[in-house]
Amino acid sequence: MKRILLTVGLAVWLSGCAHHDDVRPSSDGVHTIMLFADSRDAGSKEALRQAKHYCKQTEQVAYVVNLDIIYNSDTPESTYVTQNGLANAVDAMGIAMWIFGKNSVDDAGAALTLSGGIADGALGKPYDVRLNFKCR
C-alpha cells in the first residue's frame, strides 16, 4: 500500500512541474507562450492557464500584453471546424455506448471511440497561438 501511495504522490509531484512548458521567459519582463491547438478557444485557454501558473510561482498575476491566434492549414477553416466537430461527436457517442452498452453495443462503442480519436488526431492542431504577458 505504501508503494502505491508513494508512486501516486511522485506522479502528482512530477506533473506539478509541467504546468507552463510553453512559457519562454524574457529578461525584459514580457514573456511569451507559443503553442499549437485544435481550436481557438482551447488554445487561448491553455495559454492563459500557463501564464497564470507561471506568474503564480512568484505570487504575481499575469497580465496579457497581446494574444494572436492564426489558423495555419491548407484546409479551409470552416471545413476543419465541421470535421473536428464530427470527430468529437463520434468520440462522445462511442464513449457513451462503450460505458452504457451491453454485449456488442459496447464493442461498437469502443470502435467508435477509437475512430473518433483517430479522426481527431489526423486533423491535427492547426491553430498557432502566441501569447505575450507580464507578471505583476
Side-chain angles (χ1 to χ4, degrees):
M1 182 66 166
K2 283 185 180 182
R3 179 180 269 171
I4 292 172
L5 290 174
L6 180 61
T7 303
V8 170
L10 183 60
V12 168
W13 179 74
L14 288 174
S15 68
C17 300
H19 291 294
H20 55 262
D21 287 343
D22 300 306
V23 174
R24 286 146 176 90
S26 173
S27 60
D28 69 359
V30 179
H31 312 298
T32 302
I33 295 175
M34 294 187 308
L35 54 86
F36 300 105
D38 61 358
S39 74
R40 290 179 183 276
D41 189 48
S44 62
K45 283 181 181 177
E46 176 60 18
L48 289 170
R49 186 192 64 75
Q50 288 190 35
K52 287 177 183 177
H53 185 269
Y54 180 81
C55 294
K56 187 176 180 181
Q57 289 185 115
T58 55
E59 298 179 3
Q60 295 181 321
V61 176
Y63 290 92
V64 173
V65 174
N66 68 312
L67 173 64
D68 294 317
I69 302 174
I70 299 168
Y71 179 74
N72 189 15
S73 176
D74 293 335
T75 304
E77 187 173 11
S78 60
T79 303
Y80 167 78
V81 169
T82 300
Q83 291 173 343
N84 192 41
L86 288 172
N88 290 335
V90 167
D91 190 33
M93 184 174 27
I95 289 171
M97 289 172 63
W98 198 357
I99 292 172
F100 299 113
K102 295 184 188 232
N103 302 326
S104 61
V105 173
D106 65 347
D107 292 341
L112 278 175
T113 301
L114 185 59
S115 299
I118 290 170
D120 188 45
L123 290 171
K125 296 182 176 189
Y127 292 97
D128 296 341
V129 179
R130 182 182 181 115
L131 173 69
N132 294 317
F133 69 98
K134 290 183 177 186
C135 297
R136 291 194 182 157

